[in-house]
Amino acid sequence: MRIGSYEVISLETGRFSLDGGAMFGVVPWVFWSKLIAPDERQRIALAARCWLIRGNGKNILVDDGNGTKWNDKLKDIYKLDYSSGDLLSSLKHAGLGPEDITDVILTHLHFDHAGGSTTLVNGELVPTFPKARYFVQKKHWELSEHPTEKDRGSFMRDDFVPLMNHGVLELVDGEGELFPGIELLVTNGHTQAQQLPKISDGKTTMLFCCDLLPTTAHLPWPYVMGYDVRPLVTLEEKRKILTRAYDEHWILFLEHDPIVAAITMKPTDKGFTVDQRVSL
Ligand SMILES: [Zn+2]
């Protein structure tokens, strides 16, 4: 999809699965299992899509999926599946190699968003994209240094500490325009200082929803993930940002939805529902 001087491409990085109950918080199985069918271990299959933004002399990635540094036990737990390709094969399909990426915007450092940031080469962890600067919110970086018992399992230090050690990590302080036409919104419900890139040319606007709205099944207000550290804050952030998105006709990009990559919304008495599917 062309937005101003940029081309925005949806890249698949492989599929994975998470516990369905944890994905839907207080919502009972009888409701969520009708929206996304779980497997025999009550897990639901999820995408880990990224944006590739090309233009103005840049090739920008937004998030980089689970990566491939997984042992067999964790591969089994999270049902990692690269049969339809991984990040590097998707990039290759788009005509790019790792050295072509100029910037990586990490929405946050949970393993399913930042796992592709580093690669093991001859026993050493190095940035996967050797010429890129990586961007994360300063307050999120500070949390990653001291996660709580609740969210510790989502941070894998091998994904991001090597970025700091190699001097390629840039800490962003708050909301604002990062590149021309690419603005960052910050939320604090899912985790402290998650950043949501919004790309706009004044006519077309698309928001990278990351874990504010992981799938279309999370559109109803109380459908908030059990993973969130501040669920009531998520609820208010969802209400505020989705209402603005509807009022201003934004397209919503869904990183984890197993079926659909992008949508527009229409209102219902319980919030919003899908209006149109949008192909990038
Ligand atoms: Zn997350």
Side-chain angles (χ1 to χ4, degrees):
M1 173 182 289
R2 185 150 280 282
I3 298 181
S5 51
Y6 296 109
E7 187 187 359
V8 187
I9 298 163
S10 171
L11 291 185
E12 298 280 343
T13 70
R15 296 287 162 129
F16 71 118
S17 291
L18 291 174
D19 183 88
M23 281 298 289
F24 287 99
V26 298
V27 179
W29 173 89
V30 67
F31 293 130
W32 67 254
S33 62
K34 288 196 185 110
L35 300 174
I36 303 184
D39 69 6
E40 71 289 352
R41 286 158 71 177
Q42 298 304 323
R43 298 172 296 185
I44 58 174
L46 297 166
R49 294 186 190 90
C50 307
W51 269 354
L52 169 64
I53 304 172
R54 306 191 67 180
N56 297 349
K58 288 182 170 291
N59 293 308
I60 304 164
L61 276 180
V62 176
D63 280 353
D64 49 32
N66 286 288
T68 51
K69 309 183 297 294
W70 294 88
N71 64 37
D72 287 344
K73 184 181 168 196
L74 290 173
K75 257 188 205 159
D76 174 56
I77 289 173
Y78 294 115
K79 210 174 179 177
L80 288 152
D81 173 10
Y82 305 104
S83 57
S84 57
D86 60 16
L87 174 58
L88 295 187
S89 64
S90 291
L91 268 181
K92 195 172 175 189
H93 190 69
L96 298 177
E99 65 286 350
D100 296 315
I101 299 301
T102 55
D103 304 271
V104 182
I105 303 172
L106 296 171
T107 61
H108 60 303
L109 296 171
H110 288 168
F111 64 76
D112 50 327
H113 299 257
S117 299
T118 60
T119 305
L120 201 55
V121 177
N122 300 326
E124 194 202 345
L125 283 161
V126 297
T128 305
F129 307 102
K131 296 181 181 163
R133 293 182 302 160
Y134 291 69
F135 297 86
V136 72
Q137 284 286 319
K138 180 168 176 282
K139 288 202 174 89
H140 186 70
W141 170 263
E142 288 164 5
L143 170 78
S144 74
E145 292 286 283
H146 307 282
T148 66
E149 279 89 352
K150 185 175 188 295
D151 58 355
R152 183 166 295 155
S154 297
F155 291 99
M156 301 206 177
R157 296 180 62 78
D158 284 354
D159 293 339
F160 49 85
V161 172
L163 303 178
M164 188 57 103
N165 293 344
H166 280 78
V168 297
L169 194 66
E170 308 253 347
L171 300 180
V172 185
D173 201 358
E175 300 192 323
E177 193 173 64
L178 186 64
F179 300 116
I182 302 175
E183 189 189 331
L184 301 172
L185 307 184
V186 173
T187 63
N188 292 289
H190 174 63
T191 183
Q192 179 165 297
Q194 170 179 239
Q195 54 186 3
L196 289 64
K198 176 166 76 71
I199 183 164
S200 181
D201 61 2
K203 295 192 289 286
T204 304
T205 300
M206 184 160 58
L207 179 70
F208 193 98
C209 292
C210 44
D211 283 344
L212 177 72
L213 183 73
T215 75
T216 57
H218 291 85
L219 278 166
W221 300 133
Y223 283 53
V224 169
M225 290 193 284
Y227 296 110
D228 287 20
V229 291
R230 301 182 193 97
L232 289 176
V233 174
T234 297
L235 214 151
E236 287 316 309
E237 289 170 342
K238 250 172 83 176
R239 199 188 304 275
K240 186 173 147 221
I241 293 174
L242 296 191
T243 300
R244 184 179 167 204
Y246 173 73
D247 289 345
E248 297 181 9
H249 311 290
W250 298 356
I251 298 164
L252 302 181
F253 182 83
L254 306 170
E255 190 166 10
H256 292 315
D257 192 283
I259 311 286
V260 56
I263 58 162
T264 57
M265 296 179 299
K266 60 184 176 188
T268 69
D269 49 358
K270 290 179 190 146
F272 292 102
T273 189
V274 177
D275 184 16
Q276 308 269 344
R277 293 182 179 189
V278 179
S279 59
L280 262 63

